Amino acid sequence: MKKNILIGILFLLMGSAYAQEPILSERVKTFYQLREQMTKAWSGKHELGADCQHAVANFGQLHQRLLQEYSDLYEPEKRYLNYADLLAECGRLQEAVTQYDNAFYHKSMTAEEFGYKYRREYFATDTLLYQQKMREYREKEYCLYTYAEIEVRKALNAILAMDQMAIKITNQPYGGQTVEILHFKDSIVKAELEALAQKYPEIPHILSLDFTANFVLGRHLYSADPQYWLDNEEPRCRANLLVGKDDPKSYAYTYDQCIIRATGGLSFYGEGDNGGLNANPDTALVNKRRANIGLPPLEEKKKENTIFIVY
């Protein structure tokens, strides 16, 4: 009797967990597929050579299609910078400047980011145009952001500098102390981010103000404290995934890494299995979960460089 009750409780718990599992509509899946095609057009720009103009045309066509057919899902401000870089690398500087303006005035690029070395090099044939835009962005930047956003960005840059310094230290021959130093560093990062969130409650997602900080600090934090992602970030990421504002592959990979590192359980989506130690033998179940978020079956999965920093 007790055994049957226990089994019933386990099934209820499993049902509760699966009830939260994201299941995307076919329309959202198609949207993600088109957006992934845009990403591939942009990310392959360094290998384009003579096909550079074709990539620009392909990116532009996808951009227009998403604007027309998926205006309720598509966030063009998150793609302006990619489009600008692609145009600039292909030598179409005036068109690129239009997109850089879009990126800057929609707060998806800062003056500092426009000043990165590789972007300066895009304007080697027209340095006056680059200098003109740089002056404009520096002058207008403080009009775009609130005082709280400016202070948070400064704080994130300071935390990021500390994070990188700690990593450089651990590159020295300290033996077994490396992991302890990194975990100690990440405990400081976590405390600093929580303090910022409490100090500026009007900013709902602190890390969203800076792409680099969001990627680097977030990945370090989730690697060191995967339960933190499961408890605090996963519900938000899942909700965003359902409405076209996240990335299925990134969500699945991060979920797998965190659930395995936090619980020692099996891979949920087959995107990470701890070197095979946590691979789920039920491939039909894994493929069903993958299909729910628009990923191909395991047998069709391509090996790609999805980044999850692990100490």
Side-chain angles (χ1 to χ4, degrees), residues 126-280:
D126 196 341
T127 56
L128 289 178
L129 177 60
Y130 170 79
Q131 292 168 0
Q132 172 192 336
K133 298 312 299 184
M134 194 69 198
R135 283 194 300 270
E136 176 186 337
Y137 295 154
R138 283 173 174 164
E139 290 172 0
K140 299 293 180 63
E141 191 158 47
Y142 279 85
C143 299
L144 284 177
Y145 295 92
T146 66
Y147 174 79
E149 289 173 333
I150 292 170
E151 291 302 300
V152 168
R153 288 180 63 86
K154 289 179 181 177
L156 288 175
N157 286 331
I159 297 171
L160 186 59
M162 179 276 293
D163 176 270
Q164 295 302 293
M165 185 180 296
I167 289 175
K168 288 180 180 179
I169 291 173
T170 58
N171 287 334
Q172 303 302 315
Y174 293 136
Q177 292 182 340
T178 295
V179 171
E180 286 77 4
I181 292 172
L182 291 171
H183 283 195
F184 176 69
K185 177 266 295 181
D186 287 323
S187 69
I188 296 175
V189 169
K190 181 179 178 181
E192 292 285 349
L193 292 177
E194 288 177 345
L196 276 176
Q198 291 176 4
K199 186 175 181 180
Y200 300 102
E202 66 271 31
I203 300 177
H205 183 41
I206 291 294
L207 282 174
S208 66
L209 290 180
D210 188 286
F211 173 82
T212 304
N214 188 30
F215 181 79
V216 176
L217 297 179
R219 292 298 181 182
H220 287 174
L221 178 59
Y222 309 149
S223 178
D225 190 356
Q227 193 62 49
Y228 179 85
W229 185 83
L230 292 168
D231 293 341
N232 297 280
E233 293 296 309
E234 192 279 332
R236 181 182 61 82
C237 293
R238 184 190 339 126
N240 285 340
L241 188 69
L242 292 170
V243 294
K245 300 186 185 303
D246 208 305
D247 176 68
K249 193 183 305 177
S250 177
Y251 173 87
Y253 198 86
T254 306
Y255 190 98
D256 273 6
Q257 290 289 342
C258 287
I259 201 74
I260 289 171
R261 290 171 65 80
T263 69
L266 300 178
S267 175
F268 201 82
Y269 290 104
E271 285 297 301
D273 59 12
N274 199 19
L277 295 176
N278 296 86
N280 193 322

Side-chain angles (χ1 to χ4, degrees), residues 38-49 51-53 55-57 59-60 63 76-104 108-124 130 133 137 211-212:
M38 288 183 71
T39 300
K40 288 180 178 178
W42 169 77
S43 62
K45 64 182 182 295
H46 295 292
E47 304 170 5
L48 294 173
D51 293 329
C52 185
Q53 305 303 331
V56 170
F59 192 103
H63 178 71
E77 63 273 14
K78 293 186 177 180
R79 298 286 157 164
Y80 288 140
L81 189 54
N82 290 352
Y83 200 6
D85 284 346
L86 187 56
L87 287 162
E89 188 159 348
C90 292
R92 295 163 63 165
L93 298 183
Q94 291 294 339
E95 295 170 84
V97 163
T98 299
Q99 300 303 327
Y100 281 126
D101 283 349
N102 283 333
F104 177 76
S108 59
M109 179 192 75
T110 64
E112 179 185 3
E113 290 167 336
F114 183 68
Y116 287 166
K117 182 180 178 181
Y118 70 90
R119 291 199 174 105
R120 292 201 305 270
E121 291 173 349
Y122 291 156
F123 288 82
Y130 170 79
K133 298 312 299 184
Y137 295 154
F211 173 82
T212 304

